Amino acid sequence: GTTSAGWELQENTGSLNTKVAAEARAKRTKILGKGKDIVTVMVYMCGTDLESRAGMGTSDLQEMLAADFGDNVNLLVYTGGCSKWQNNVVSSTKNQIYQIKDGKMRLMEEYKAVSMTDPTTLTNFIKWCDKNFPANRNQLIFWDHGSGSIKGYGYDEKFASSGSMDLSEINQALKKSGVTFDFVGFDACLMATLETALMLTDYADY
């Protein structure tokens, strides 16, 4: 029989190609290296039915708690948007900010529950992280359902009528935060689109 061309590719050497196109803009984040970087990771975790029905948020928090990282990494999680968290730590009635460090969740702030698809909620979280944990490398992860380029990110189980945060609203939230990022990631379906990337180019390198 014939061999698929897919099996005839050059062997993966494990060395990363770091070449950058001459036309690319300069990176927003200056990586210092040699252990000098301070990294603030912001996880915007809107639990929804992913957590209340399947405990997926709790599972991901457990993975964060089990992770081993240095004192130069600040891991901060904003929680809300869920009718019932499947653990006895995160509140089902309030929105909260936790720092995860040394295998523990430390409650940093607690707020009256507001919609996590309101751009102002996201802006306030980013500003809080930037003020309290300043870093030369900022990273933002959106955690929830995703609806792609048309409807955007998120569904708040407690404020269902607020709908999703569309790309223009994400743009608004990031613009008002005044923070630029090493990367912005989506732990959410359907968000890896060209439209999302084009919107984020003003705020992140990746």
Side-chain angles (χ1 to χ4, degrees):
T2 58
T3 303
S4 165
W7 299 106
E8 297 174 358
L9 298 176
Q10 184 177 352
E11 185 179 354
N12 185 347
T13 62
S15 56
L16 180 67
N17 181 348
T18 58
K19 292 179 182 175
V20 178
E23 300 84 4
R25 63 160 167 77
K27 293 283 187 288
R28 301 184 187 286
T29 299
K30 181 171 176 56
I31 297 176
L32 305 174
K34 298 180 180 177
K36 295 181 179 178
D37 294 281
I38 304 296
V39 183
T40 292
V41 184
M42 311 172 197
V43 182
Y44 194 67
M45 183 175 275
C46 184
T48 63
D49 57 330
L50 294 171
E51 169 62 18
S52 63
R53 295 172 66 180
M56 292 180 180
T58 293
S59 177
D60 280 4
L61 288 169
Q62 287 174 325
E63 290 178 353
M64 295 180 214
L65 287 164
D68 185 16
F69 49 86
D71 289 337
N72 63 324
V73 176
N74 307 305
L75 177 52
L76 302 156
V77 184
Y78 187 103
T79 60
C82 179
S83 61
K84 176 61 179 170
W85 288 82
Q86 300 294 324
N87 62 69
N88 62 0
V89 177
V90 180
S91 173
S92 298
T93 60
K94 296 179 180 178
N95 290 13
Q96 298 172 307
I97 297 176
Y98 287 94
Q99 181 183 20
I100 296 181
K101 188 173 182 178
D102 299 326
K104 297 181 176 65
M105 289 179 66
R106 178 184 171 201
L107 180 62
M108 307 297 288
E109 295 287 344
E110 195 165 65
Y111 308 99
K112 180 183 82 171
V114 292
S115 174
M116 288 190 67
T117 59
D118 181 340
T120 304
T121 308
L122 175 58
T123 296
N124 289 342
F125 173 51
I126 295 169
K127 283 185 170 181
W128 185 92
C129 291
D130 186 51
K131 177 184 177 183
N132 291 283
F133 293 89
N136 67 298
R137 295 183 66 179
N138 291 294
Q139 303 168 355
L140 174 64
I141 298 170
F142 290 81
W143 192 105
D144 190 13
H145 289 291
S147 301
S149 301
I150 296 176
K151 289 192 175 180
Y153 156 84
Y155 161 72
D156 190 309
E157 199 173 35
K158 299 170 77 172
F159 296 89
S161 63
S162 64
S164 297
M165 193 186 311
D166 64 30
L167 297 191
S168 67
E169 290 173 316
I170 295 172
N171 180 71
Q172 172 190 325
L174 297 181
K175 188 173 186 178
K176 287 185 176 179
S177 77
V179 174
T180 55
F181 297 90
D182 188 350
F183 74 79
V184 174
F186 287 86
D187 194 350
C189 289
L190 306 175
M191 298 306 296
T193 68
L194 181 61
E195 292 85 357
T196 303
L198 286 171
M199 179 272 294
L200 289 171
T201 191
D202 288 342
Y203 312 108
D205 290 334
Y206 297 96

